[in-house]
């Protein structure tokens, strides 16, 4: 299948999946758990996909690329800072980056 | 607004954003392209969110389509972690620079986006 179509199909599923996960996960004290979860899970899945070496355009660039997000992560961090919740903002950044990198590594190591 | 309409708007926007990201990656295949994509996406997100939450009340599908969809699909966290892992094998210093550089660029960009848009568009 054409790579462009694969990317489009993967993103057509990945982006709404992110939206639905974010809506399903509660936000105690406004902490953006939904985005953190999709970013960590998406990084893990990308590790598996790249480790297996199959369907990289569909599942890697399309699905995982659209499931995860940097713009919402940054915006939600800024909102925490503007609300005066600096430690939560710092926690969001630290946990997202460390858990995301670790999850990708784990996914890759699994294959 | 029906939930299915919102999901469809996010999906359509996500496809557009992901295709733009894919196109940029084909033109300039490099982790630094991903950094630039994420920074530009964050700058735009900052502008968009001020426009949508502080300037005017938009149609209920605008934010799902443009914010969650297009910008969410354009920017990516998974490729960021993958790029970092790949770079650690060849150039660990560049890898750490990429990891922290993306973070600083993205957070600065979203902040600049909100600040500029507030100054220019928010009535006071």
């Amino acid at each position: 299948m054409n790579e462009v179509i694969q990317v489009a199909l993967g993103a057509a599923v990945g982006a709404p999946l992110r939206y639905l996960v974010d809506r399903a996960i509660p936000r105690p004290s406004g902490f953006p758990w939904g985005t953190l979860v999709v970013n960590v899970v998406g990084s893990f899945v990308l590790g598996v996909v790249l480790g297996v070496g199959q369907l990289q355009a569909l599942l890697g660039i399309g699905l995982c690329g659209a499931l995860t997000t940097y713009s919402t992560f940054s915006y939600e961090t800024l909102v925490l800072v503007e609300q005066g919740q600096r430690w939560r903002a710092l926690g969001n950044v630290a946990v997202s980056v460390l858990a995301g990198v670790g999850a990708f590594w784990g996914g890759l190591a699994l294959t | 607004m029906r939930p299915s309409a919102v999901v469809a708007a996010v999906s359509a926007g996500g496809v557009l954003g992901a295709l733009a990201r894919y196109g940029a990656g084909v033109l300039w295949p490099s982790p630094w392209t991903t950094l630039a994509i994420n920074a530009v996406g964050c700058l735009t997100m900052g502008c968009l969110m001020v426009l949508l939450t502080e300037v005017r009340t938009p149609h209920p599908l605008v934010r799902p389509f443009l914010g969650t969809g297009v910008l969410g699909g354009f920017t990516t966290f998974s490729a960021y972690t993958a790029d970092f892992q790949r770079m650690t094998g060849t150039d660990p210093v560049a890898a750490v620079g990429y990891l922290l550089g993306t973070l600083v660029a993205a957070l600065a960009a979203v902040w600049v986006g909100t600040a500029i848009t507030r100054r220019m568009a928010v009535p006071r």
Side-chain angles (χ1 to χ4, degrees):
Chain A
M1 203 186 350
N2 183 317
E3 244 184 33
V4 173
I5 296 173
Q6 289 190 46
V7 171
L9 281 178
V13 175
L17 196 57
R18 166 165 42 80
Y19 169 74
L20 292 172
V21 168
D22 189 54
R23 276 195 33 160
I25 295 179
R27 293 183 172 226
S29 344
F31 191 84
W33 286 110
T35 303
L36 198 154
V37 166
V38 290
N39 279 345
V40 172
V41 170
S43 296
F44 174 80
V45 175
L46 183 62
V48 173
V49 169
L50 294 185
V52 171
Q54 298 275 332
L55 298 173
Q56 296 187 16
L58 177 75
L59 300 178
I61 304 173
L63 183 78
C64 293
L67 175 65
T68 63
T69 175
Y70 223 100
S71 48
T72 302
F73 158 69
S74 300
Y75 178 70
E76 288 170 339
T77 303
L78 178 67
V79 169
L80 286 173
V81 172
E82 287 183 340
Q83 289 171 343
Q85 306 198 20
R86 298 196 173 182
W87 289 108
R88 283 207 172 87
L90 191 65
N92 186 41
V93 167
V95 174
S96 294
V97 171
L98 293 176
V101 166
F104 176 82
W105 234 296
L108 197 63
L110 210 66
T111 53
Chain B
M1 191 53 58
R2 293 213 319 275
S4 59
V6 178
V7 169
V10 171
S11 181
V15 170
L16 293 178
L19 287 177
R21 169 166 46 79
Y22 170 74
V26 169
L27 284 176
W28 306 287
S30 157
W32 306 105
T33 304
T34 312
L35 188 156
I37 284 171
N38 281 334
V40 169
C42 289
L43 181 76
T44 315
M45 182 65 101
C47 300
L48 180 73
M49 292 309 287
V50 170
L51 290 176
L52 298 188
T53 60
E54 297 173 32
V55 177
R56 59 175 64 224
T57 309
H59 185 279
L61 289 181
V62 171
R63 182 174 170 176
F65 177 72
L66 288 180
T68 316
V70 175
L71 293 177
F74 183 56
T75 62
T76 175
F77 201 90
S78 53
Y80 163 70
T81 61
D83 285 340
F84 170 69
Q85 191 275 341
R86 202 174 299 129
M87 290 169 85
T88 52
T90 53
D91 190 345
V93 175
V96 172
Y98 173 79
L99 192 80
L100 298 178
T102 298
L103 193 58
V104 170
L107 292 173
V110 74
W111 178 74
V112 167
T114 59
I116 288 178
T117 312
R118 277 190 188 125
R119 178 161 296 195
M120 289 172 55
V122 177
R124 56 181 89 207

